[in-house]
Amino acid sequence: MRNLTILTLLGVLALSAPALAAHSSSTPSPESQCRTERSGMGVDTFRQTYGTNQNRHNAFGKCVSKRASATGDAKTEAKQNASQECKAEQLADPAAFAQKYGTGKHGANAHGKCVSQKAQAKTKSTVRAEVKADVKAAKTCKQERKADPKAFADKYGTNANKRNAFGKCVSKTARAQQTS
């Protein structure tokens, strides 16, 4: 009985290893995206960007929340675009398409595999670009704030005490960088 239990556990581990490996190559988690931003900006700038409470120590949680939402949006958009691209590719040469993406006997799953591969790559690219844009925007806003803190707060601050000015500046600047 004991040997059977050990063999069962080894089987479960053997079957779960490929699943874990497949997950590691997917889009970075919101937590790892925020760690990247925090190390790129520096802790103080990161807290100024995302923190909302008195001491701004809730910055990491706020960042993770923002990144989770942004990653979900990126996945949805990437999947829609990838499906259209795969349909066009499949219409151009159905046999080559089935050969390239299909894994079954007749390549019947080719469209799904194509969409999955393309959507994952697009999502990963979008997420990396967003993180890079946020880090660059934070550095730009830090320099702007340093030049004239009062004017900076007046320009970007939207609440009564203008404490949200830095985060608003980063959002606005990052959005402008991504559209240009």
Side-chain angles (χ1 to χ4, degrees):
M1 184 69 177
R2 185 172 184 205
N3 287 340
L4 182 60
T5 305
I6 291 172
L7 288 175
T8 303
L9 287 173
L10 288 174
V12 168
L13 288 172
L15 292 174
S16 64
L20 292 173
H23 180 68
S24 67
S25 66
S26 65
T27 306
S29 70
E31 293 86 359
S32 67
Q33 294 172 44
C34 291
R35 281 188 207 98
T36 300
E37 280 194 44
R38 186 176 56 195
S39 54
M41 293 178 188
V43 174
D44 291 337
T45 305
F46 181 81
R47 286 183 179 160
Q48 285 293 312
T49 303
Y50 292 106
T52 59
N53 61 3
Q54 190 66 26
N55 63 8
R56 300 187 184 271
H57 280 80
N58 66 341
F60 195 81
K62 295 292 184 179
C63 176
V64 169
S65 178
K66 176 190 172 198
R67 286 278 148 232
S69 176
T71 300
D73 293 346
K75 282 182 181 180
T76 301
E77 185 177 334
K79 189 174 182 182
Q80 291 171 347
N81 293 340
S83 182
Q84 292 171 355
E85 288 177 20
C86 290
K87 283 179 187 175
E89 189 176 339
Q90 188 173 20
L91 285 173
D93 189 354
F97 184 81
Q99 178 76 27
K100 182 177 180 181
Y101 296 106
T103 57
K105 184 176 181 182
H106 301 287
N109 63 347
H111 184 76
K113 294 287 185 181
C114 174
V115 170
S116 178
Q117 287 176 15
K118 288 182 184 274
Q120 193 173 54
K122 285 179 183 292
T123 301
K124 200 173 197 178
S125 173
T126 300
V127 165
R128 285 193 174 139
E130 288 174 354
V131 169
K132 195 179 268 189
D134 280 353
V135 171
K136 186 176 179 183
K139 290 177 181 180
T140 301
C141 291
K142 188 176 180 180
Q143 289 176 342
E144 186 178 344
R145 183 181 62 184
K146 189 176 183 181
D148 188 357
K150 172 89 172 96
F152 180 85
D154 289 340
K155 180 177 179 181
Y156 295 106
T158 59
N159 59 1
N161 61 7
K162 309 282 188 189
R163 282 182 46 123
N164 66 345
F166 196 81
K168 295 293 183 181
C169 174
V170 171
S171 294
K172 186 176 182 178
T173 307
R175 207 173 317 120
Q177 288 174 1
Q178 289 176 333
T179 57
S180 58

